[in-house]
């Protein structure tokens, strides 16, 4: 006869085996100081022997906390967000919390469903990459008592904590580096997605051009139609920039909003027999793993994904522990320009990105 599943081990099983009270066992497993080291060791050993797993739901009822944080992400296929998820999960686990991951695929409808899931699950707080199309559903989450930390994109209407990358500065430094290397006719290829990260990179490009005294015609910023119109959460494709650039009059240098666009451009230039950076210099954005291993290694902007994730969790934990009404913090973390062979080194007679005028600092904390 086949045996059925064994009953789930309980605190009472451990207490009976050791001749202790259930309360003592509970305190021993909770590392309370009132339990001796020998009793704690015996309880932990017996719990391991019988395969006892704490009932997190019961614990949350006792503590008044789900010990769970939410993470709402738009696009986990994006390498930046993949690193962000890993960083947040490690930080959350170190704090003794579990993580509830919800993916919106850049859809407002999916995001609205995610907010309902957060409220039903009674998470203690949430780290959120918002779609940025609507925000009333996030207002309802905040007003229900769940603290929010927005990541990478802000929702200024809600005045919540926010941690992100200084995308404007990264674009400014990449553009300034190309100008310092002798480029005078520059083009920015960006993704056609109405989010603040794209707008910030465009602002950084225009500011660097203006600071160098160069004209910034309207057609110096071009947006690439992509498959993300079918699903905004799809990853970028090198093919999209490759096809788009075939009809362009090539300038001295091209700044791209992501490394995938730069990869498509490198193929097009190679097919035309053009030298990089001699004929056309190129910079990317993201510093994805392949960037350093191309035939012409890519100058690009490295994003501090792990630092953004850990900073967001730390800020959320501070918010959970805070007793006062501290004002929300806006934190931008500076990216790093990684100089490789696809962009020329600055000419001695030209100003370098470091010596040029940096963009004005907005009124927010920067790391």
């Amino acid at each position: 006869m086949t045996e059925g599943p064994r009953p789930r081990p309980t605190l009472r099983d451990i207490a009976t085996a050791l001749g202790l009270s259930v309360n003592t066992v509970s305190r021993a497993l909770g590392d309370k100081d009132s339990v001796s080291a020998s009793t704690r060791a015996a309880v932990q050993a017996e719990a391991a022997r019988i395969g006892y797993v704490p009932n997190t739901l019961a614990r949350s009822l006792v503590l008044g906390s789900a010990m769970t944080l939410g993470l709402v992400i738009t696009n986990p296929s994006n390498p930046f967000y993949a690193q962000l998820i890993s960083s947040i999960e490690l930080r959350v686990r170190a704090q003794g919390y579990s993580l509830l991951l919800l993916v919106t695929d850049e859809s407002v409808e999916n995001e609205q469903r995610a907010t309902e899931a957060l409220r039903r699950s009674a998470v203690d707080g949430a780290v959120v990459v918002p779609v940025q199309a609507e925000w009333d559903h996030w207002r309802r989450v905040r007003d229900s008592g769940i603290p929010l930390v927005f990541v990478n994109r802000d929702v200024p209407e809600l005045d919540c904590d926010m941690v992100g990358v200084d995308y404007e500065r990264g674009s400014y430094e990449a553009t300034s580096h190309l100008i310092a290397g002798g480029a005078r006719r520059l083009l920015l290829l960006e993704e056609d997605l109405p989010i603040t990260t794209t707008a910030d990179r465009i602002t950084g490009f225009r500011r660097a051009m203006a600071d160098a005294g160069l004209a910034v015609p309207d057609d110096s910023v071009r947006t690439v139609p992509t498959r993300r119109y079918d699903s905004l959460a799809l990853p970028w494709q090198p093919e999209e920039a490759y096809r788009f650039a075939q009809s362009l009059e090539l300038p001295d240098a091209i700044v791209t909003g992501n490394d995938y666009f730069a990869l498509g451009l490198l193929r097009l230039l190679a097919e035309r027999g053009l030298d990089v950076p001699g004929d056309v210099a190129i910079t990317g954005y993201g510093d994805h793993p392949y960037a350093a291993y191309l035939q012409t290694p890519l100058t690009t902007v490295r994003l501090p994904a792990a630092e953004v994730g850990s900073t967001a969790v730390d800020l959320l934990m501070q918010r959970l522990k805070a007793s006062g009404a501290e004002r929300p913090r806006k934190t931008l973390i500076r990216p790093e320009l990684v100089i490789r062979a696809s962009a020329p080194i600055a000419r001695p007679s030209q100003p370098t990105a470091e010596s040029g005028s940096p963009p004005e600092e907005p009124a927010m904390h920067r790391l």
Side-chain angles (χ1 to χ4, degrees), residues 26 112 128 140 184 254 260 289 327 333 338:
S26 176
Q112 290 170 341
V128 177
R140 289 192 290 273
R184 291 297 174 266
I254 302 176
Y260 294 95
R327 291 289 300 167
I333 300 175
V338 181

Side-chain angles (χ1 to χ4, degrees), residues 38-344:
S38 59
T39 299
R40 182 181 297 110
V43 168
Q44 291 173 345
E46 179 64 14
R49 187 187 72 79
I50 67 173
Y52 170 76
V53 177
N55 186 324
T56 55
L57 176 59
R59 183 185 181 206
S60 68
L61 292 174
V62 172
L63 297 177
S65 167
M67 295 301 291
T68 300
L69 300 180
L71 173 57
V72 181
I73 211 84
T74 55
N75 178 12
S77 66
N78 182 322
F80 175 84
Y81 290 135
Q83 294 178 52
L84 186 77
I85 292 170
S86 178
S87 171
I88 289 174
E89 196 280 329
L90 287 172
R91 203 70 158 199
V92 166
R93 192 190 330 147
Q95 297 286 346
Y97 283 72
S98 298
L99 189 67
L100 174 63
L101 175 63
L102 299 164
V103 178
T104 64
D105 287 336
E106 297 281 7
S107 160
V108 174
E109 291 76 15
N110 289 345
E111 187 174 70
Q112 290 170 341
R113 284 191 284 269
T115 60
E116 292 304 311
L118 291 176
R119 295 169 67 188
R120 286 196 306 270
S121 302
V123 297
D124 297 294
V127 176
V128 177
V129 179
V131 174
Q132 286 191 311
E134 297 178 15
W135 52 83
D136 279 348
H137 45 286
W138 288 120
R139 190 191 308 278
R140 289 192 290 273
V141 174
R142 184 203 61 184
D143 292 348
S144 71
I146 299 174
L148 301 173
V149 177
F150 291 115
V151 168
N152 214 38
R153 310 173 187 175
D154 197 9
V155 182
E157 293 82 2
L158 297 187
D159 198 24
C160 292
D161 295 308
M162 182 266 183
V163 181
V165 176
D166 193 343
Y167 285 97
E168 179 183 339
R169 180 170 288 274
S171 181
Y172 180 94
E173 292 186 356
T175 306
S176 296
H177 179 74
L178 292 169
I179 294 170
R184 291 297 174 266
R185 294 183 303 111
L186 289 86
L187 179 69
L188 172 64
L189 279 191
E190 262 297 347
E191 60 177 321
D192 195 358
L193 192 61
I195 54 178
T196 54
T197 52
T198 300
D200 289 346
R201 287 192 296 263
I202 293 173
T203 298
F205 171 81
R206 291 185 179 279
R207 190 186 294 274
M209 295 282 283
D211 284 353
L214 299 177
V216 192
D218 291 339
D219 63 358
S220 64
V221 177
R222 307 295 293 272
T223 53
V224 179
T226 75
R227 292 192 305 121
R228 300 180 80 180
Y229 277 114
D230 301 321
S231 173
L232 295 178
L234 286 170
W236 304 289
Q237 297 295 321
E239 179 184 10
E240 293 157 350
Y242 170 81
R243 289 182 175 179
F244 183 80
Q246 287 179 340
S247 60
L248 294 178
E249 180 181 349
L250 295 176
D252 301 333
I254 302 176
V255 182
T256 66
N258 62 74
D259 287 352
Y260 294 95
F261 285 178
L263 189 59
L265 291 174
L266 287 171
R267 175 183 169 181
L268 176 63
L269 296 172
E271 289 178 354
R272 293 187 178 183
L274 297 174
D275 177 68
V276 176
D279 295 314
V280 181
I282 293 177
T283 62
Y285 215 106
D287 195 29
H288 299 318
Y290 62 79
Y293 298 96
L294 300 170
Q295 184 172 356
T296 303
L298 183 63
T299 294
T300 186
V301 178
R302 179 177 294 159
L303 301 178
E307 189 176 356
V308 169
S310 60
T311 302
V313 173
D314 290 347
L315 187 54
L316 182 56
M317 297 305 299
Q318 292 172 21
R319 187 63 63 188
L320 290 172
K321 297 173 183 176
S323 56
E326 181 184 349
R327 291 289 300 167
R329 293 179 58 190
K330 310 292 183 181
T331 302
L332 293 183
I333 300 175
R334 183 171 178 170
E336 176 189 358
L337 179 64
V338 181
I339 299 173
R340 300 192 180 102
S342 70

